[in-house]
Structure formats: structure tokens, C-alpha cells
Amino acid sequence: MPPFDTVIFDLDGTLLNTLEDLADSTNYALAAHHMPQRTLDEVRRFVGNGVALLIHRAVPQGTPPETEEAVLSCFRAHYLGNMEHKTAPYAGIPALLSSLSEAGLSLAVVSNKFDGAVKGLCEKYFGPVLPVAVGESPGVAKKPAADMVHLALRALGRDGGRAVYVGDSDVDIATAQNAALPCISVTWGFRDEEFLRAHGAQHIVHTPQQLLEALLLPARGEDASAPRRP
């Protein structure tokens, strides 16, 4: 019997490589307001806490709040129409999700990206294999709060007793802790192993195949490599 019956995934940097489309929309919005452009590496550092904070970090320091809000609105509109140009699942992810679904695990996505984009991307790239996708929406606290995780579990009809959280960032590690779930951190996304370990990661995988094994192999007693509940 697999150790888990439910997997909650982060989206950006975990299932999908969205970085270039995020950077393109960020720079489009900045250019529209005559602001300096940002590099891909800068945008990589800015993502993870939702698009409002992405734009707050991207605009020049001291930008008036009303101008920052206008840049954010411009970003949202551009990204919704251009979020599929360069975005793609990481290699091995579609097969991973199919294997987990065929094994009977319940799967969901929880992301700080705004809800319309999360649902649209999950439907396009993963379809029915990922039936629940929860993004940023009014009245629901963003990650690292546990609220969206709890919302996803309720939508799946699971109590979380055998759930695990999978992500690529410090925000994901904190989210798992706040939701009282074990966490598996992946290194193919927006943060490297050194960063993840410095922010408390205890179980790290480097390939989707390693992740599949961690999610499906029976519990291994005191094996230190197996993720544990906090």
C-alpha cells in the first residue's frame, strides 16, 4: 500500500516551467509604464508569493501604490492572454501524474498564481488527471497559510491524514508545515538544493522518477529518506 493517498502539488516550478511567460508579461507591464526591464534570473527570485508581490518586487523602489496597482492590472491582463507561449510541463511530469492517478491517488494543485490562470493552465496541460486546482482568490489566504491546502482537500473529499505536499520553494516548505503535512521538495524548479536545505527542506528529490518512488513505494520504517509527517 502506498504511504500516501493524496498529493497536493505546487504549480510554477514544480509541474510547469512558467518562468519565461511570467518574465515576458512582467516586462510587458513594466515597459507599458516606462519602467526598467527585469532579467529572467530576477523574475525567478521574485516569484513564489503571488503576482502582486512579483510586481511589487519588479517595479522600481518608491513606485506610488496607485502606479504599482496599474502595473499589476496590466500584468494580469497580458498574462491571461499570453501564458501559454513558452510554458510547458517539466520532462516526466505528465507520466508522473498519470502513474499516480492510475495508482488511485487523489491529486490537486495549490498555487499563489491567480485562480483563473491556475485553472486554465491545469486544464490545458493536465486535464482530468488533476481535477482540483486552487489559486489566489478573494477571501482565501495565500500560501504559506494553509487555507488553500484545506480548500483543496475538501474539494477532493480527503481529510489529509495521508496527504503530502510537493513544491519547489521555501514558501512550499512553510505551507506544508502550516498544513501539518509532510513535504517533498523538488530541485528542477525555481530554487536549488542549497537554498531549499537552508530553508528547512528535509526530503528532496531531483527527478520525477525519484518523486514517483517516494510517493508510491510502501513506507520503509525508519528509513531517513522517506518523508514524514511533521
Side-chain angles (χ1 to χ4, degrees), residues 9 15 92-102 107 126 129-130:
F9 289 98
L15 300 181
I93 290 298
L96 165 74
L97 296 178
S98 293
S99 294
L100 294 175
S101 180
E102 290 168 4
L107 309 178
F126 307 121
V129 76
L130 263 177

Side-chain angles (χ1 to χ4, degrees), residues 7-19 22 44 47-48 88-94 96-97 100 108-111 113 126 130 143 164-173 183-191 196 205-208 211 215:
V7 188
I8 308 295
F9 289 98
D10 170 56
L11 183 61
D12 297 55
T14 301
L15 300 181
L16 291 178
N17 186 350
T18 57
L19 186 60
L22 287 168
R44 184 192 305 274
V47 298
Y90 288 100
I93 290 298
L96 165 74
L97 296 178
L100 294 175
V109 159
V110 168
S111 170
K113 188 191 296 290
F126 307 121
L130 263 177
K143 300 186 300 183
V164 61
Y165 188 97
V166 178
D168 74 306
S169 74
D170 52 323
V171 175
D172 296 313
I173 294 166
C183 183
I184 301 176
S185 298
V186 306
T187 59
W188 56 77
F190 299 163
R191 305 290 187 266
L196 292 168
V205 296
H206 304 289
T207 68
L211 178 56
L215 293 171

Side-chain angles (χ1 to χ4, degrees), residues 4-92:
F4 306 109
D5 64 9
T6 305
V7 188
I8 308 295
F9 289 98
D10 170 56
L11 183 61
D12 297 55
T14 301
L15 300 181
L16 291 178
N17 186 350
T18 57
L19 186 60
E20 290 191 64
D21 281 332
L22 287 168
D24 287 351
S25 290
T26 297
N27 283 325
Y28 176 90
L30 292 172
H33 291 83
H34 311 290
M35 295 176 178
Q37 301 284 279
R38 292 294 192 169
T39 67
L40 196 65
D41 282 342
E42 285 176 320
V43 175
R44 184 192 305 274
R45 294 196 302 270
F46 296 162
V47 298
N49 297 87
V51 296
L53 194 51
L54 163 61
I55 295 304
H56 178 72
R57 291 164 170 165
V59 299
Q61 188 173 6
T63 297
E66 61 274 15
T67 303
E68 183 176 317
E69 184 61 35
V71 177
L72 176 60
S73 295
C74 183
F75 168 89
R76 286 179 181 271
H78 186 269
Y79 187 70
L80 275 175
N82 297 274
M83 63 185 182
E84 299 171 4
H85 294 321
K86 301 173 182 176
T87 288
Y90 288 100

Side-chain angles (χ1 to χ4, degrees), residues 10 31 36 55 88 106 118 121 123 139 144 149-150 166-167 170 186 192 223 226:
D10 170 56
I55 295 304
S106 295
V118 173
L121 288 170
E123 182 177 0
V149 173
H150 294 156
V166 178
D170 52 323
V186 306
D192 61 22
D223 184 351

